[in-house]
């Protein structure tokens, strides 16, 4: 059984989190621990047709963003890593500076200190030097930065095709299987 922490923040692109949670839900050997920021909940409402209840039902455990006493806030809670999708620049900044003022930035801080896998799906454009420096710092600390940048070599036809490819990249990072993967197979 693998244990994965999923953090969702208030950057645009909640659809990526929805898709990841749906795909993780189909993998019986993965236990999902979900935490959403206040703005993530708002963006779920603004950008998708899914309700908070429906989304939370895809996770095995859900935590409140201010629950600093949650298991995932402690390094003693064994797990296989954390993904933040989408990751706002505010959360990226907080993690880069060790400012664990909520459960997402605290769990990410713990993931770094315990040298577990941290995947960040940052979403902002254009990126300022502040954003780039913070992301660079996290990459140097071992975090894997997987921005939602589409590939076109697999001829996506729908938005779901683009989202599938992004989710595939995140699942690949955790060595987890994915359906609908349309990979480059040579020319
Ligand atoms: C509709 C909407 C879209 C947003 N998109 C982004 C974005 O793509 N990237 C970003 O860094 N912030 C974005 N924001 C701003 C963040 O939600 C805001 O900085 C918030 O404080 C982030 O807090 P959190 O990281 O705790 O969720 C957006 C806000 C709204 C309402």
């Amino acid at each position: 059984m693998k244990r994965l922490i999923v953090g969702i923040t208030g950057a645009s692109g909640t659809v990526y989190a929805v898709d990841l949670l749906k795909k993780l839900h189909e993998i019986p050997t993965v236990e999902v621990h979900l935490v959403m920021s206040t703005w993530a909940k708002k963006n779920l409402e603004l950008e998708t047709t899914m309700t908070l209840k429906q989304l939370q039902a895809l996770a095995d455990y859900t935590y409140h963003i201010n629950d600093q006493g949650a298991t995932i806030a402690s390094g003693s809670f064994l797990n296989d890593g954390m993904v933040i999708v989408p990751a706002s620049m505010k959360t990226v900044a907080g993690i880069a500076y060790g400012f664990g003022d909520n459960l997402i930035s605290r769990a990410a801080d713990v993931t770094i200190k315990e040298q577990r896998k941290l995947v960040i799906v940052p979403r902002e454009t254009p990126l300022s030097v502040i954003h780039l420096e913070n992301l660079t710092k996290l990459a140097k600390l071992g975090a894997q930065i997987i921005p939602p940048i589409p590939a076109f070599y697999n001829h996506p036809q729908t938005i779901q095709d683009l989202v599938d490819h992004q989710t595939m990249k995140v699942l690949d990072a955790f060595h987890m299987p994915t359906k609908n993967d349309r990979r480059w197979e040579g020319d």
Side-chain angles (χ1 to χ4, degrees), residues 9-12 37 39-40 43 46 88-91 102 123-124:
T9 76
S12 187
S37 74
W39 281 99
N43 282 4
L46 291 172
S88 75
M89 293 304 107
K90 173 240 174 187
T91 291
N102 67 37
R123 198 278 154 197
E124 188 51 279

Side-chain angles (χ1 to χ4, degrees), residues 37-97:
S37 74
T38 307
W39 281 99
K41 290 179 180 173
K42 183 71 185 166
N43 282 4
L44 179 73
E45 210 180 291
L46 291 172
E47 298 186 342
T48 78
T49 53
M50 198 160 210
T51 66
L52 181 60
K53 239 184 167 176
Q54 287 169 331
L55 190 71
Q56 288 178 334
L58 296 171
D60 297 285
Y61 298 88
T62 61
Y63 307 91
H64 191 274
I65 187 67
N66 293 327
D67 184 6
Q68 299 285 47
T71 49
I72 61 171
S74 170
S76 66
F77 177 75
L78 294 175
N79 65 78
D80 297 279
M82 177 174 188
V83 52
I84 304 177
V85 53
S88 75
M89 293 304 107
K90 173 240 174 187
T91 291
V92 165
I95 300 166
Y97 283 86

Side-chain angles (χ1 to χ4, degrees), residues 115-180:
Q115 299 185 1
R116 297 186 181 124
K117 187 155 197 77
L118 178 62
V119 167
I120 294 177
V121 180
R123 198 278 154 197
E124 188 51 279
T125 194
L127 290 161
S128 73
V129 173
I130 296 172
H131 305 149
L132 291 165
E133 282 185 354
N134 287 338
L135 287 166
T136 300
K137 187 173 175 188
L138 291 174
K140 283 182 177 168
L141 286 165
Q144 195 169 356
I145 312 295
I146 309 184
I149 298 175
F152 292 94
Y153 51 74
N154 52 5
H155 301 286
Q157 302 297 308
T158 64
I159 291 176
Q160 186 59 47
D161 288 344
L162 299 174
V163 174
D164 279 342
H165 194 76
Q166 174 63 23
T167 302
M168 179 194 88
K169 289 287 191 176
V170 171
L171 291 170
D172 282 356
F174 289 99
H175 308 289
M176 289 179 188
T178 183
K179 289 179 191 161
N180 309 328

